[in-house]
């Protein structure tokens, strides 16, 4: 035993040394698989020596213990190494065997130290021999498993059955499956999942549409994907088909609403295919998760996870679906090689999303959507420039030693998208679309870093067109370059004027018009009331944003009396309104804000609201109190982010 211990001691030393000079180190491997050897700062795995090709997972989902009992069976390509390193985070590893199922032999393993801030977890080092290709890890999840949200029935819509789901991106898959958790490696996977009677499990794979008696379900994902896209959800689920290759899963209570909200899904898929090539994943389904889901959507392949805040009732937030669908190309098909290249996933996706929206609903609408985003980008740039990491306004990031979540800002999303919009403007839509189509084709089922993209851009778009486009500035410099594409939207300007008139004290709620009636000399007076339906969600958002950040609460109240912003039901508008209300000291909003915070777990809304509340003492105390009641309703991802804000 002692010799093994020494062996691992040595290994850790070597490992740490490797990690230190990762920037300069270039190792060359003999075989093709290992040719593009990479080092990922957020993974301990030694994928340049041995890597998983196929993963089979046996899972037993136990709601009583809130535990997943699993066996991760790795089929690997071994480049002759005697140690395989996997990523784990707060997993209980029971035993590890080598060899085929039924002929397995136990082997030694060791779990390394946690990193300083407990971000990347621990290396799991397994003793193998240079010919080993089959490694089986027996494990169970723990209370500290961060990927999984276990919901008691009260937190679901139906309130009768429990629910669970996972969130893998960016580096949480390692907290529910021991694996090489780097986007630089792609694997196929299969699973055999046991769940309690009456519940249906679904995964980012080929899925069942109804429950069976045994409660055991088989899954397979035959296209190679990065590990952050492995996902599962289990609940009282029903399925409704929306088109020939698409549909939606949800609790039965919500299925009608989902079907109506997402009725345009088949059209979106067509539009996306017309833009950038055939959809490569067979089926495209959505699943409506409970409110605690920390994101609006997550692009798990074949099965996008969606937060119910998208159910606005009027289809006004479906650009989110366009976004997750677009990831089927940007992100899932062509994947960022490391989290420093995250903009390749999200920037392309926001650009693509906007193109889908344009083709379905026209340029006037897609321009409004993009402008709303641009406003957010400008605010974010100001915030980041004042922060400890002003360099985070560059597209290419350096997140070594930090949480990859730090890179999840509007820079990757919106600066990324505006970079591509600017390219489109300068090179012409047709050329740019052809370029993107060939980019997706060339790198399909591969991983790409920023440098590979830049080179491809130069060779295939800029040089052939004699363009001196400032791509390097966009990627490696802070802020927004001067040549950034600009959008003008008369409709937005119109609501902005309305906001100004309101600010100036005008009664905007009733407009007097004099109408001419046929055959009569006298005009007739008509009063037109300002209705919500006069403007779309994003116009109302622009209206709220145009108001000064400190308004007289009495004036804000008038808006609530006439339009009821505070309980509108549309999450985007409510969030925008609450932020303005908090800044203005409009205390009457508190019951509505509390209700929202108790119900919704989406980080995009929670973070700005809690952050704004944290800015003054009295609000902060109130926020802490609400959080103490609400935190059980949040997924780890949101809970931990908010905890930092409220500290
Ligand atoms: N892939 C992201 C969500 C994500 C990013 C999870 C990084 C974990 C780490 C997803 O596609 C996304 O961007 N969702 C957005 C919606 C989108 C319309 C901007 C969200 O959840 O708000
Ligand atoms: Zn996204």
């Amino acid at each position: 035993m002692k010799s093994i211990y020494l062996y691992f001691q040595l290994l850790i030393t070597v490992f740490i040394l490797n990690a230190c000079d990762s920037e300069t180190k270039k190792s060359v491997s003999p075989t093709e698989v290992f040719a593009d050897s990479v080092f990922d700062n957020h993974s301990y795995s030694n994928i340049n020596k041995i890597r998983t090709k196929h993963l089979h997972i046996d899972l037993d989902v136990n709601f009583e213990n809130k535990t997943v009992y699993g066996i991760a069976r790795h089929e690997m390509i071994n480049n002759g190494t005697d140690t395989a390193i996997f990523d784990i985070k707060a997993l209980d590893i029971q035993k590890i065997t080598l060899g085929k199922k039924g002929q397995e032999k136990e082997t030694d393993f060791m779990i390394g130290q946690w990193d300083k801030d407990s971000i990347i977890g621990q290396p799991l080092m397994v003793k193998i021999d240079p010919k080993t290709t089959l490694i089986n890890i027996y494990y169970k999840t723990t209370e500290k498993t961060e990927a999984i949200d276990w919901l008691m029935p009260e937190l679901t819509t139906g309130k009768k059955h429990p629910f669970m789901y996972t969130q893998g991106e960016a580096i949480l898959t390692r907290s529910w499956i021991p694996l090489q958790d780097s986007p630089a490696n792609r694997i196929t996977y299969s699973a055999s999942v046991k769940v309690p009677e009456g519940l249906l499990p679904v995964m980012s794979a080929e899925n069942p549409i109804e429950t069976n008696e045994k409660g055991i379900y088989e899954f397979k994902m035959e296209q190679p994907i990065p590990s952050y896209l492995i996902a599962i959800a289990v609940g009282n689920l029903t399925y409704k088909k929306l088109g020939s290759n698409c549909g939606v899963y949800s609790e039965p209570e919500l299925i009608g609403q989902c079907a109506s909200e997402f009725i345009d899904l088949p059209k979106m898929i067509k539009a996306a295919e017309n833009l950038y090539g055939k959809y490569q994943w067979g089926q495209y389904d959505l699943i409506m998760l409970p409110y605690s889901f920390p994101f609006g959507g997550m692009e798990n392949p074949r099965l996008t996870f969606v937060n119910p805040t998208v159910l606005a009732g009027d289809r006004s937030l479906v650009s989110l679906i366009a976004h997750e669908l677009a990831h089927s190309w940007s992100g899932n098909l062509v994947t960022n090689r490391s989290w420093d290249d995250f903009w390749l996933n999200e920037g392309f996706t926001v650009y693509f999303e906007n193109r889908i929206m344009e083709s379905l609903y026209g340029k006037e609408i897609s321009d409004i959507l993009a402008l709303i985003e641009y406003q957010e980008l400008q605010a974010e740039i100001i915030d980041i420039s004042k922060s400890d990491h002003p360099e985070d306004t560059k597209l290419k990031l350096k997140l070594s030693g930090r949480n990859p979540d730090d890179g999840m800002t509007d820079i990757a999303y919106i600066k990324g998208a505006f970079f591509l919009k600017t390219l489109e403007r300068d090179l012409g839509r047709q050329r740019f679309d052809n370029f993107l189509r060939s980019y997706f084709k060339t790198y399909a089922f591969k991983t790409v870093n920023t440098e590979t993209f830049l080179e491809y851009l130069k060779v295939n778009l800029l040089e052939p067109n004699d363009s001196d486009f400032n791509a390097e500035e966009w990627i490696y410099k802070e802020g927004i370059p001067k040549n950034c594409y600009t959008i003008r939207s008369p409709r937005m300007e119109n609501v902005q004027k309305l906001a100004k008139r309101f600010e100036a004290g005008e009664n905007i709620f009733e407009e007097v018009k004099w109408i001419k009636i046929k055959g009569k000399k006298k005009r007739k007076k008509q009063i037109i009331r300002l209705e919500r339906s006069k403007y779309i969600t994003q116009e109302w958002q622009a209206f709220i944003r145009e108001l000064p950040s400190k308004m007289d609460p009495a004036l804000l109240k008038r808006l609530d009396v006439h339009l009821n912003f505070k309980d509108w039901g549309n999450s985007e508008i409510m969030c925008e309104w609450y932020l303005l209300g908090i800044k203005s000291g409009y205390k009457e909003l508190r019951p509505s804000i509390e209700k929202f915070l108790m119900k919704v777990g989406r980080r995009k809304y929670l973070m700005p609201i809690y952050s704004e509340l944290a800015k003054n003492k009295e609000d902060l105390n109130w926020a802490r109190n609400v959080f103490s009641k609400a935190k059980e309703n949040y997924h780890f991802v949101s809970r931990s982010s908010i905890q930092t804000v409220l500290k």
Side-chain angles (χ1 to χ4, degrees):
M1 203 59 196
K2 190 147 185 224
S3 65
I4 289 170
Y5 183 75
L6 277 173
Y7 161 85
F8 278 118
Q9 279 287 319
L10 186 72
L11 201 113
I12 292 175
T13 319
V14 170
F15 177 76
I16 290 170
L17 284 174
N18 276 348
C20 292
D21 66 0
S22 66
E23 294 280 349
T24 49
K25 194 167 166 266
K26 276 204 180 75
S27 57
V28 188
S29 306
T31 67
E32 210 206 323
V33 194
F34 299 97
D36 58 342
S37 115
V38 275
F39 200 93
D40 178 341
N41 287 308
H42 296 107
S43 171
Y44 286 113
S45 62
N46 55 342
I47 55 175
N48 50 347
K49 301 235 170 68
I50 181 166
R51 60 172 76 177
T52 304
K53 285 301 281 180
H54 180 81
L55 171 67
H56 178 81
I57 27 183
D58 289 313
L59 301 172
D60 182 350
V61 181
N62 186 317
F63 281 89
E64 263 148 46
N65 305 344
K66 296 187 176 175
T67 303
V68 171
Y69 300 85
I71 310 169
R73 301 181 180 279
H74 291 266
E75 290 171 28
M76 313 192 77
I77 298 183
N78 186 348
N79 198 22
T81 184
D82 59 4
T83 312
I85 309 177
F86 299 89
D87 293 292
I88 57 171
K89 192 171 189 185
L91 278 180
D92 188 348
I93 304 296
Q94 286 148 344
K95 69 170 181 186
I96 301 183
T97 67
L98 306 180
K100 271 203 189 113
K101 194 173 176 176
Q103 303 165 20
E104 301 168 34
K105 278 210 183 84
E106 238 180 288
T107 188
D108 286 308
F109 65 90
M110 194 172 139
I111 295 171
Q113 301 273 316
W114 282 83
D115 58 300
K116 183 167 103 319
D117 300 313
S118 310
I119 297 167
I120 57 180
Q122 299 154 286
L124 167 64
M125 294 164 282
V126 182
K127 175 108 184 70
I128 57 173
D129 68 61
K131 291 224 169 67
T132 302
T133 56
L134 301 174
I135 304 179
N136 314 294
I137 309 175
Y138 291 68
Y139 70 98
K140 62 179 192 192
T141 60
T142 67
E143 265 185 350
K144 295 210 170 78
T145 287
E146 295 170 352
I148 306 182
D149 193 5
W150 297 96
L151 292 116
M152 292 301 93
E154 307 79 65
L155 292 174
T156 64
T157 305
K159 310 212 184 302
K160 285 204 200 78
H161 302 271
F163 203 106
M164 73 82 89
Y165 63 87
T166 60
Q167 168 60 38
E169 197 179 14
I171 54 169
L172 297 184
T173 303
R174 64 190 67 177
S175 78
W176 77 284
I177 309 172
L179 42 54
Q180 300 177 309
D181 200 8
S182 169
N185 192 33
R186 307 183 77 95
I187 61 174
T188 53
Y189 83 88
S190 52
S192 173
V193 181
K194 187 167 172 289
V195 299
E197 206 189 315
L199 300 184
L200 185 69
V202 285
M203 296 189 79
S204 49
E206 217 174 299
N207 277 314
I209 56 170
E210 53 186 22
T211 53
N212 64 38
E213 273 185 6
K214 267 169 111 190
I216 298 175
Y217 300 81
E218 306 295 328
F219 299 86
K220 54 179 192 286
M221 166 47 75
E222 286 173 323
Q223 286 101 325
I225 58 167
S227 55
Y228 72 87
L229 293 175
I230 304 176
I232 185 170
V234 183
N236 178 28
L237 293 170
T238 182
Y239 181 74
K240 191 163 169 54
K241 207 172 149 127
L242 297 173
S244 60
N245 68 336
C246 62
V248 57
Y249 290 88
S250 83
E251 289 186 64
E253 293 82 0
L254 282 180
I255 199 75
Q257 243 178 295
C258 291
S260 139
E261 199 85 25
F262 306 134
I263 194 151
D264 284 342
L265 188 57
K267 281 192 213 153
M268 281 191 177
I269 299 172
K270 273 224 180 67
E273 289 190 313
N274 283 337
L275 283 164
Y276 301 124
K278 200 173 158 13
Y279 178 74
Q280 299 281 336
W281 306 88
Q283 188 71 17
Y284 182 79
D285 290 325
L286 308 170
I287 176 174
M288 188 51 72
L289 296 183
Y291 277 98
S292 66
F293 183 49
F295 298 100
M298 176 65 213
E299 68 271 24
N300 298 313
R302 294 180 68 108
L303 184 67
T304 283
F305 284 20
V306 185
N307 187 297
T309 52
V310 179
L311 291 173
D314 58 1
R315 302 177 191 143
S316 61
L317 302 179
V318 294
S319 62
L320 184 133
I321 305 298
H323 177 97
E324 305 311 334
L325 171 65
H327 271 306
S328 307
W329 287 257
S330 44
N332 297 4
L333 198 58
V334 181
T335 306
N336 56 208
R337 175 158 298 185
S338 80
W339 301 110
D340 290 349
D341 305 300
F342 185 56
W343 79 276
L344 291 177
N345 274 17
E346 297 299 343
F348 277 68
T349 299
V350 172
Y351 173 83
F352 191 169
E353 162 200 342
N354 201 246
R355 293 292 305 275
I356 296 174
M357 293 306 283
E358 181 186 327
S359 63
L360 258 74
Y361 309 109
K363 188 148 164 56
E364 194 176 65
I365 295 293
S366 61
D367 275 353
I368 292 175
L369 297 174
L371 253 184
I372 282 284
E373 291 170 344
Y374 190 72
Q375 290 181 339
E376 283 156 19
L377 173 63
Q378 285 175 313
E380 182 98 293
I381 293 216
I382 294 172
D383 282 354
I384 297 178
S385 306
K386 287 190 291 197
S387 76
D388 295 343
H389 290 284
E391 74 280 10
D392 286 356
T393 66
K394 297 174 184 175
L395 285 177
K396 173 82 186 194
L397 298 169
K398 288 198 176 123
L399 294 169
S400 173
R402 296 170 63 196
N403 195 320
D405 270 13
D406 291 1
M408 262 198 71
T409 70
D410 288 334
I411 300 302
Y413 284 82
I414 306 172
K415 182 181 172 183
F418 273 83
F419 171 31
L420 303 185
K421 274 179 178 291
T422 309
L423 272 167
E424 182 207 312
R425 179 199 64 199
D426 284 11
L427 278 301
R429 178 168 277 195
Q430 185 133 41
R431 274 193 218 121
F432 190 61
D433 280 354
N434 289 340
F435 164 77
L436 279 186
R437 229 171 278 130
S438 76
Y439 170 72
F440 287 131
K441 206 167 164 191
T442 306
Y443 294 105
F445 299 107
K446 295 203 166 77
T447 57
V448 171
N449 63 16
T450 301
E451 291 63 40
T452 316
F453 166 72
L454 183 58
E455 185 59 23
Y456 191 83
L457 174 73
K458 284 183 182 161
V459 172
N460 295 286
L461 190 66
L462 302 184
E463 283 160 14
N465 292 294
D466 281 329
S467 166
D468 58 359
F469 194 91
N470 55 339
E472 269 98 351
E473 182 186 353
W474 274 94
I475 293 171
Y476 299 112
K477 292 262 152 71
E478 291 173 13
I480 312 175
K482 286 220 168 57
N483 62 335
C484 184
Y485 179 76
T486 52
I487 300 171
R488 252 205 69 197
S489 159
R491 275 175 64 171
M492 285 271 272
E493 286 162 17
N494 191 34
V495 285
Q496 286 165 340
K497 274 186 209 140
L498 186 73
K500 287 279 177 258
R501 281 170 45 205
F502 177 71
E503 189 195 335
E506 227 178 278
N507 177 8
I508 59 165
F509 304 107
E510 287 174 350
E511 203 181 336
V512 179
K513 271 204 174 153
W514 293 94
I515 312 183
K516 194 170 156 38
I517 296 176
K518 245 192 190 165
K520 293 204 173 168
K521 254 198 169 169
K522 259 194 164 178
R523 284 169 191 260
K524 195 172 167 241
K525 182 175 171 180
Q526 199 189 33
I527 294 180
I528 303 169
R529 293 172 55 84
L530 176 60
E531 307 278 356
R532 286 182 184 192
S533 56
K534 185 162 184 205
Y535 301 110
I536 64 168
T537 297
Q538 291 75 15
E539 287 170 301
W540 283 117
Q541 265 182 292
F543 173 86
I544 299 171
R545 282 183 193 176
E546 194 64 17
L547 297 173
S549 64
K550 280 210 169 49
M551 278 286 273
D552 177 2
L555 266 181
L556 293 183
K557 191 167 175 185
R558 286 194 65 198
L559 279 168
D560 268 339
V561 168
H562 288 277
L563 293 160
N564 196 15
F565 280 130
K566 69 176 165 46
D567 302 309
W568 189 295
N570 184 304
S571 53
E572 291 289 335
I573 292 175
M574 283 152 79
C575 180
E576 206 78 52
W577 186 239
Y578 298 158
L579 293 176
L580 178 63
I582 297 165
K583 285 181 201 153
S584 304
Y586 175 29
K587 299 278 188 264
E588 276 172 69
L589 273 188
R590 278 192 179 175
S592 303
I593 300 180
E594 177 165 350
K595 213 168 114 203
F596 187 84
L597 295 177
M598 289 297 292
K599 178 170 168 182
V600 176
R602 188 169 165 190
R603 186 166 68 175
K604 174 186 165 192
Y605 300 135
L606 298 182
M607 280 301 276
I609 295 177
Y610 278 109
S611 306
E612 204 50 57
L613 287 166
K615 283 182 187 163
N616 89 63
K617 194 117 193 259
E618 199 209 318
D619 281 340
L620 175 62
N621 284 335
W622 182 77
R624 282 186 175 142
N625 185 29
V626 175
F627 178 67
S628 72
K629 290 184 278 179
K631 65 172 189 258
E632 292 306 313
N633 310 355
Y634 302 153
H635 182 278
F636 163 82
V637 160
S638 293
R639 204 185 314 131
S640 62
S641 304
I642 297 160
Q643 258 151 0
T644 9
V645 169
L646 296 184
K647 250 182 201 151

